[in-house]
Amino acid sequence: MARRFDPFTVDRRQFLGLAAAGGTALLAQPLLSGQLLAEPAPQKAAFGIPVEDLQAVMAVAMARGGTFADLYFERTRSVSLSLEDDKISRAYTSSDLGMGVRVVKGDAVGYAFSEVLDLKAMKQAAATAAAIADGKRDGKPATVQVAKLPKYYDVDYRFAAIDLAKKKALVQDVNGQIRKKDARILKVNVSYADSDREVLILTSDGLLAHDHQPMMRLTAACVAEQGGRRETGSYNIASRHGFDLFDPKTVTRLCDEAVRRTVGMFEAVTPKGGEMPVVLGAGPSGILLHEAIGHGMEADFNRKNTSIYATKIGKPVAEKFVTIVDDATLPDARGSIHVDDEGTSGQRTVLVDGGIMASYLHDRISAAHYGLKSTGSGRRESFRHVPMPRMRSTYMQPGPHRKDEIIASVKKGIYCESFSNGQVNIGGGDYTFFLKTGYLIEDGKLGRPIKDVNLIGNGPDTLSKISMVGNDLLIDEGGWTCGKNGQSVPVSQGMPTVLVKSLTVGGAA
Amino acid sequence: MSGKSVNSKALALADRTLDLLKKAGVHQALCSVRLSRSVETQARDGKIEKLQEAQSASLTVHLYVDGRYAAHNTSDLRPAELQAFLADAVALTRMLDPDPDRSLPEASRAAKSTDALALFDPAYPKIDADTRKRLVLEVDAASRVDKQVISATANFSDEDTDWAIAASNGTRASQRATSYSLGTEVTVGDGDKRPEDWWYVGARTLAGLQKPAEIGAEATRRAIARVGAKKDPSGKFTLVIENRAAGRLVSHWLQALLGGNLQQKRSFLDGKLGANIASPLLTLRDEPSLAVSMGARSFDREGMAAKPLALVEQGVLKNYYLDWYYAQKLKMAATTGSLSTLSLPGGSGDLAKLMAGIDRGILVTSFNGGNSNSLTGDFSLGIQGRRIEKGALAGPLTEMNLTGNHTTFWQTLRGVGGDPYPHSSLRMPSLVFEGAAVAGS
């Protein structure tokens, strides 16, 4: 459905949302991360722009004494198809091209972009961005070297090259399968979306990086009716894998989950609200990490001393079996990146190491502020935006407990299966996440399904109340999108089964 | 405000694109073009921290080819690239499924107007970098007077947008509009916690903005009021929802009015036209021609001439938001597919008046996350605000959840303020609800 963005009604906070959520096993395989290896630049970089033109634009950007600058070129092409009432009668395509120039002077940033890639327009943008500084250039231009990037995703074609008929057939297949599964299904909505984003980054250090960032998502949503009661549910899978991800088995699993999450709601009740033990199911529950700790660990908030975690590095915040990471290196994950949007290699960052607060998520500005290296967390929505510290794939490492013993330990509480969105107050630490599907727990066993209630807690308080961590880490395969200061970026998250001793659950009085 | 019309480059581009499509054999099409210039200036703790300038173009064509429909967007307006883009767009559209309900609005609905609402601020061209810096630095200085303040980030943004639609059904409309936003986010110390709050104002004219000193002071006052916030035990409370927050609540409710949700059986208001769905205190209107509002427009996204729409009159549901497509599918008359400016008339008094006589209640100053199910009406939202005791404000509350169902919740509306929030297209007044379920400790 269309959502109108109104900057005056949306709280200026950080949020996370998605089309739907769910999970399957995707093994976390942290790869070695480190400095980018480099080789000399060719005459022409990607986008057909001569390297000497790039250098000329960079010279304008640095002319007034900026300490650092980057040029960010982007071409994104995307297609989406939607089916409703058994017809694919809506499609949307988008073609976007442009470049942004950022000039940094200390903590201050000048930014401008151009949607026209001719030298005059690019130099104009560079001159506008350079105005944040008011001196003269010190130092000489760096020699341009091309970065060799790692491979956490690898699609050697463009989605546009795939016959639209194949994409249509996939969407129609999902509709057909769901229609056959359950006679109570009243309406089916299926959407398919893919995009090819190509980026080229040149930093004032001379690093030139080029990446192709593929993305796709398939979503099924249903409405079902039984005895006059209607319910809705959905499931989606998102990935940087190529089109062949959607093999028959995966498509059938998506259909099964969409139907189960709809017709299963006929039995659902609203729980009684209040504080209670909460078991977070493996996978999508990683939303808790995203909201309760991830945003607060973004170093821009900490260098400004506005995060509740601003003085916590090196201090114990959770039990010893709690280790939380933010990782750009998971194979094909929506949150994975080979290079961040300011030229630093994609890597794995440990936020909490055995219960001790270990590292913030840094971009170049915050890393310079703290005298550290960037963690490769500088990301941006597009060439129209400045980069800032962002999450990639956020998850908790497996712990010592079994799922069944965790559930059995709860006398009266809830078990959470899937979520739709969350939000956090960075400084106060209060965060929320909205439960789409789950179950009551009574005497250590799962009971009636529950749905559509908000959970609320305080970040550091919740971390200290994580009392059991399962051995069943699951990275959620759903298409999560993280919003911060008006910019959206794709992310992933994961979680083993976890017990939080107490959270406030919305519900009946 | 100048009443004079401005030559619209966007309209000229939309006209040209429509011609190109006609030459390519497409006779049913709508082209929407937005050309904008925006500048953002940010200050933190006494220094300019960010300057950003942007000129942006966006062209979207909605094509109706052989009974098939698709929309295509590009920012690349070079003639050869645009031509290639349109050829690809037409080819892709032809591959979709035919749908007899896909068509442009009938000619009688087509908007034909240029700057019908005069939304362009004549002072805009004179704004320079020094003015922008002065405004954010004044807000910033006013927000940091109190020693409890740890950090404050003030922001000023101004935008000039030329938006036009031309379509083969005769639509030819454009509007040039300016908008400004000025405000700040303030963080204060509270032991280990750093509670924050904000105050942002919006206006169509520079002169219409609240004074920078007032903005900074208001944000700081709100942040300091968060110090020591905690949760109370769960219970049923009388809730006063401040105007600033009320838009969020009503925006969830509005989802059930959308044609797509009605036709797809995802609305708890399906089949309720003419029915009593809320307290008689609830009247809701969509008012596109309220020029001071951020939502002002003389035509909608489908190029239909905008007109006022009564949604709810004294608790009775009168109309839905129906775009042309879903109106055809539902065999109903199209209204408009999207909200312009929402108003709730008839209230009176300020927050103090609304709180008078409430023995034990909660003032909600903002929501924290949460969501709503447009099919069942169930909603659950994080809240923060202040305790109300014997008609007066008491200590700050946080980390609590309001849970209910829209079908019954709006029947418990028992008070409406006369204080519509002017900084949003959802111009909601403060609202009072009886017996709301709030979960806490």
Side-chain angles (χ1 to χ4, degrees), chain B residues 377-393:
Chain B
D378 292 327
F379 68 89
S380 187
L381 303 165
I383 60 168
Q384 50 199 34
R386 303 275 294 271
R387 213 174 284 126
I388 302 170
E389 285 168 3
K390 299 197 174 12
L393 281 181

Side-chain angles (χ1 to χ4, degrees), chain A residues 210-230:
Chain A
H210 174 234
D211 196 22
H212 166 225
Q213 300 171 338
M215 185 73 79
M216 57 179 196
R217 173 152 79 186
L218 183 62
T219 306
C222 315
V223 176
E225 192 171 49
Q226 173 181 296
R229 178 172 172 170
R230 279 187 213 156

Side-chain angles (χ1 to χ4, degrees), chain B residues 60-102:
Chain B
T60 304
V61 289
H62 298 256
L63 307 181
Y64 301 82
V65 185
D66 307 335
R68 293 153 169 93
Y69 165 81
H72 311 269
N73 174 269
T74 184
S75 61
D76 192 347
L77 305 180
R78 290 172 293 175
E81 277 69 16
L82 185 59
Q83 197 125 25
F85 165 81
L86 293 175
D88 286 351
V90 174
L92 185 139
T93 308
R94 281 192 207 284
M95 293 185 68
L96 301 176
D97 297 337
D99 183 342
D101 293 315
R102 289 282 180 199

Side-chain angles (χ1 to χ4, degrees), chain A residues 440-457:
Chain A
L440 296 172
I441 303 178
E442 280 152 0
D443 294 325
K445 292 193 181 72
L446 297 187
R448 298 271 306 259
I450 55 171
K451 65 182 175 87
D452 293 326
V453 290
N454 203 36
L455 277 70
I456 191 162

Side-chain angles (χ1 to χ4, degrees), chain B residues 35 50 80 129 144 187 213 227 231 240-241 245-246 250 269 359 362:
Chain B
L35 305 174
K50 187 177 161 197
R144 288 184 299 108
T187 302
V227 171
K231 58 181 149 184
V240 179
I241 299 181
V250 80
L269 293 175
D359 194 45
I362 295 174

